[in-house]
């Protein structure tokens, strides 16, 4: 999936936060309690709480959230709730995780054998890696995508 389809090429807004409030946005009229109760929001918050970075670009943060959802409303809700709960800070397209609870491969990643498609890249897998988070299980991922999702490879 090409995640850059709707992004401008080399424009002044390249580093702008696409999830910042916009006066013309219809998203402000949505019921935030509905979004906050969504299981995808809780899973996204659990993932953001385990980011292994001092700073990470908003684009890379959204790439990780897209392993849970590609719905822009849910993505925005995850980012907004993470900021409200003090899990992250956002500024000019940069995300600063506040938690220091990282994914530990020996404890937090479960390996399963079977027929899977990678949640991140779509590749066929016979071994799936799943991240066991408090809010639920995230995956399956292949061996390289699990490292990207957890922040071990960039």
């Amino acid at each position: 999936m090409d995640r850059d389809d709707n992004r401008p090429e080399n424009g002044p807004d390249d580093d702008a936060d696409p999830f910042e409030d916009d006066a013309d946005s219809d998203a402000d009229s949505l019921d935030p309690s509905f979004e906050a109760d969504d299981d995808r929001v809780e899973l996204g918050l659990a993932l953001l709480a385990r980011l292994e970075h001092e700073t990470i670009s908003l684009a890379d943060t959204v790439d990780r959230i897209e392993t849970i959802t590609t719905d822009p409303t849910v993505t925005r809700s995850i980012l907004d709730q993470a900021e409200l709960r003090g899990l992250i800070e956002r500024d000019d397209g940069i995300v600063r995780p506040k938690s220091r609870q990282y994914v530990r491969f020996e404890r937090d990643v479960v390996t399963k054998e079977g027929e899977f498609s990678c949640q991140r890249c779509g590749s066929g897998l016979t071994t799936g890696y799943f991240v066991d988070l408090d809010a639920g299980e995230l995956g399956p991922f292949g061996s390289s995508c699990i490292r990207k999702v957890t922040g071990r490879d960039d």
Side-chain angles (χ1 to χ4, degrees), residues 130-145:
F130 297 79
V131 182
D132 186 20
L133 300 168
D134 292 338
E137 192 172 77
L138 181 60
F141 301 104
S143 58
S144 60
C145 285

PDB file of all heavy atoms in Angstrom, residues 130-145:
ATOM      1  N   PHE A 130       3.477 -11.899  16.983  1.00  0.00           N
ATOM      2  CA  PHE A 130       2.398 -11.121  17.557  1.00  0.00           C
ATOM      3  C   PHE A 130       2.920 -10.388  18.789  1.00  0.00           C
ATOM      4  O   PHE A 130       3.629 -10.977  19.607  1.00  0.00           O
ATOM      5  CB  PHE A 130       1.247 -12.028  17.978  1.00  0.00           C
ATOM      6  CG  PHE A 130       0.613 -12.772  16.835  1.00  0.00           C
ATOM      7  CD1 PHE A 130       1.204 -13.909  16.298  1.00  0.00           C
ATOM      8  CD2 PHE A 130      -0.591 -12.329  16.302  1.00  0.00           C
ATOM      9  CE1 PHE A 130       0.615 -14.597  15.246  1.00  0.00           C
ATOM     10  CE2 PHE A 130      -1.189 -13.014  15.249  1.00  0.00           C
ATOM     11  CZ  PHE A 130      -0.585 -14.143  14.722  1.00  0.00           C
ATOM     12  N   VAL A 131       2.555  -9.116  18.926  1.00  0.00           N
ATOM     13  CA  VAL A 131       2.919  -8.344  20.102  1.00  0.00           C
ATOM     14  C   VAL A 131       1.777  -8.486  21.099  1.00  0.00           C
ATOM     15  O   VAL A 131       0.625  -8.166  20.795  1.00  0.00           O
ATOM     16  CB  VAL A 131       3.153  -6.853  19.767  1.00  0.00           C
ATOM     17  CG1 VAL A 131       3.574  -6.086  21.001  1.00  0.00           C
ATOM     18  CG2 VAL A 131       4.176  -6.697  18.653  1.00  0.00           C
ATOM     19  N   ASP A 132       2.100  -8.978  22.286  1.00  0.00           N
ATOM     20  CA  ASP A 132       1.110  -9.158  23.345  1.00  0.00           C
ATOM     21  C   ASP A 132       1.094  -7.895  24.203  1.00  0.00           C
ATOM     22  O   ASP A 132       1.987  -7.656  24.996  1.00  0.00           O
ATOM     23  CB  ASP A 132       1.484 -10.387  24.181  1.00  0.00           C
ATOM     24  CG  ASP A 132       0.430 -10.734  25.207  1.00  0.00           C
ATOM     25  OD1 ASP A 132      -0.727 -10.297  25.057  1.00  0.00           O
ATOM     26  OD2 ASP A 132       0.775 -11.452  26.174  1.00  0.00           O
ATOM     27  N   LEU A 133       0.055  -7.053  23.986  1.00  0.00           N
ATOM     28  CA  LEU A 133      -0.110  -5.806  24.730  1.00  0.00           C
ATOM     29  C   LEU A 133      -1.255  -5.968  25.722  1.00  0.00           C
ATOM     30  O   LEU A 133      -2.106  -6.843  25.568  1.00  0.00           O
ATOM     31  CB  LEU A 133      -0.414  -4.653  23.761  1.00  0.00           C
ATOM     32  CG  LEU A 133       0.649  -4.377  22.700  1.00  0.00           C
ATOM     33  CD1 LEU A 133       0.101  -3.429  21.636  1.00  0.00           C
ATOM     34  CD2 LEU A 133       1.903  -3.811  23.342  1.00  0.00           C
ATOM     35  N   ASP A 134      -1.294  -5.120  26.730  1.00  0.00           N
ATOM     36  CA  ASP A 134      -2.369  -5.189  27.717  1.00  0.00           C
ATOM     37  C   ASP A 134      -3.746  -5.079  27.073  1.00  0.00           C
ATOM     38  O   ASP A 134      -4.699  -5.704  27.517  1.00  0.00           O
ATOM     39  CB  ASP A 134      -2.210  -4.084  28.768  1.00  0.00           C
ATOM     40  CG  ASP A 134      -0.993  -4.305  29.657  1.00  0.00           C
ATOM     41  OD1 ASP A 134      -0.530  -5.465  29.762  1.00  0.00           O
ATOM     42  OD2 ASP A 134      -0.506  -3.328  30.244  1.00  0.00           O
ATOM     43  N   ALA A 135      -3.856  -4.280  26.016  1.00  0.00           N
ATOM     44  CA  ALA A 135      -5.140  -4.051  25.350  1.00  0.00           C
ATOM     45  C   ALA A 135      -5.492  -5.143  24.346  1.00  0.00           C
ATOM     46  O   ALA A 135      -6.588  -5.146  23.792  1.00  0.00           O
ATOM     47  CB  ALA A 135      -5.130  -2.693  24.642  1.00  0.00           C
ATOM     48  N   GLY A 136      -4.577  -6.064  24.086  1.00  0.00           N
ATOM     49  CA  GLY A 136      -4.840  -7.134  23.130  1.00  0.00           C
ATOM     50  C   GLY A 136      -3.591  -7.518  22.371  1.00  0.00           C
ATOM     51  O   GLY A 136      -2.497  -7.036  22.630  1.00  0.00           O
ATOM     52  N   GLU A 137      -3.771  -8.387  21.411  1.00  0.00           N
ATOM     53  CA  GLU A 137      -2.669  -8.902  20.610  1.00  0.00           C
ATOM     54  C   GLU A 137      -2.638  -8.165  19.273  1.00  0.00           C
ATOM     55  O   GLU A 137      -3.670  -7.966  18.651  1.00  0.00           O
ATOM     56  CB  GLU A 137      -2.894 -10.400  20.399  1.00  0.00           C
ATOM     57  CG  GLU A 137      -1.718 -11.132  19.838  1.00  0.00           C
ATOM     58  CD  GLU A 137      -1.967 -12.631  19.852  1.00  0.00           C
ATOM     59  OE1 GLU A 137      -2.714 -13.098  18.971  1.00  0.00           O
ATOM     60  OE2 GLU A 137      -1.415 -13.310  20.723  1.00  0.00           O
ATOM     61  N   LEU A 138      -1.452  -7.778  18.853  1.00  0.00           N
ATOM     62  CA  LEU A 138      -1.259  -7.062  17.604  1.00  0.00           C
ATOM     63  C   LEU A 138      -0.409  -7.918  16.676  1.00  0.00           C
ATOM     64  O   LEU A 138       0.678  -8.354  17.040  1.00  0.00           O
ATOM     65  CB  LEU A 138      -0.575  -5.722  17.877  1.00  0.00           C
ATOM     66  CG  LEU A 138      -0.295  -4.812  16.691  1.00  0.00           C
ATOM     67  CD1 LEU A 138      -1.592  -4.429  15.991  1.00  0.00           C
ATOM     68  CD2 LEU A 138       0.441  -3.570  17.156  1.00  0.00           C
ATOM     69  N   GLY A 139      -0.890  -8.162  15.477  1.00  0.00           N
ATOM     70  CA  GLY A 139      -0.149  -8.957  14.515  1.00  0.00           C
ATOM     71  C   GLY A 139      -1.109  -9.711  13.638  1.00  0.00           C
ATOM     72  O   GLY A 139      -2.319  -9.460  13.664  1.00  0.00           O
ATOM     73  N   PRO A 140      -0.618 -10.598  12.839  1.00  0.00           N
ATOM     74  CA  PRO A 140       0.745 -11.112  12.749  1.00  0.00           C
ATOM     75  C   PRO A 140       1.663 -10.207  11.933  1.00  0.00           C
ATOM     76  O   PRO A 140       1.209  -9.425  11.104  1.00  0.00           O
ATOM     77  CB  PRO A 140       0.561 -12.446  12.031  1.00  0.00           C
ATOM     78  CG  PRO A 140      -0.620 -12.219  11.142  1.00  0.00           C
ATOM     79  CD  PRO A 140      -1.527 -11.272  11.910  1.00  0.00           C
ATOM     80  N   PHE A 141       2.949 -10.350  12.194  1.00  0.00           N
ATOM     81  CA  PHE A 141       3.986  -9.655  11.451  1.00  0.00           C
ATOM     82  C   PHE A 141       5.054 -10.645  11.050  1.00  0.00           C
ATOM     83  O   PHE A 141       5.249 -11.669  11.705  1.00  0.00           O
ATOM     84  CB  PHE A 141       4.639  -8.556  12.306  1.00  0.00           C
ATOM     85  CG  PHE A 141       3.664  -7.530  12.787  1.00  0.00           C
ATOM     86  CD1 PHE A 141       3.218  -7.531  14.094  1.00  0.00           C
ATOM     87  CD2 PHE A 141       3.181  -6.550  11.930  1.00  0.00           C
ATOM     88  CE1 PHE A 141       2.309  -6.596  14.547  1.00  0.00           C
ATOM     89  CE2 PHE A 141       2.272  -5.606  12.360  1.00  0.00           C
ATOM     90  CZ  PHE A 141       1.834  -5.627  13.679  1.00  0.00           C
ATOM     91  N   GLY A 142       5.776 -10.317   9.980  1.00  0.00           N
ATOM     92  CA  GLY A 142       6.946 -11.085   9.588  1.00  0.00           C
ATOM     93  C   GLY A 142       8.136 -10.660  10.437  1.00  0.00           C
ATOM     94  O   GLY A 142       8.056  -9.713  11.225  1.00  0.00           O
ATOM     95  N   SER A 143       9.259 -11.320  10.261  1.00  0.00           N
ATOM     96  CA  SER A 143      10.430 -11.069  11.104  1.00  0.00           C
ATOM     97  C   SER A 143      10.992  -9.653  10.947  1.00  0.00           C
ATOM     98  O   SER A 143      11.436  -9.055  11.925  1.00  0.00           O
ATOM     99  CB  SER A 143      11.527 -12.097  10.830  1.00  0.00           C
ATOM    100  OG  SER A 143      11.893 -12.053   9.464  1.00  0.00           O
ATOM    101  N   SER A 144      10.947  -9.084   9.753  1.00  0.00           N
ATOM    102  CA  SER A 144      11.458  -7.714   9.605  1.00  0.00           C
ATOM    103  C   SER A 144      10.417  -6.686  10.024  1.00  0.00           C
ATOM    104  O   SER A 144      10.746  -5.660  10.615  1.00  0.00           O
ATOM    105  CB  SER A 144      11.942  -7.457   8.177  1.00  0.00           C
ATOM    106  OG  SER A 144      10.897  -7.638   7.261  1.00  0.00           O
ATOM    107  N   CYS A 145       9.143  -6.935   9.756  1.00  0.00           N
ATOM    108  CA  CYS A 145       8.097  -5.968  10.128  1.00  0.00           C
ATOM    109  C   CYS A 145       7.907  -5.886  11.639  1.00  0.00           C
ATOM    110  O   CYS A 145       7.631  -4.812  12.163  1.00  0.00           O
ATOM    111  CB  CYS A 145       6.776  -6.286   9.428  1.00  0.00           C
ATOM    112  SG  CYS A 145       6.807  -5.827   7.668  1.00  0.00           S
TER     113      CYS A 145
END
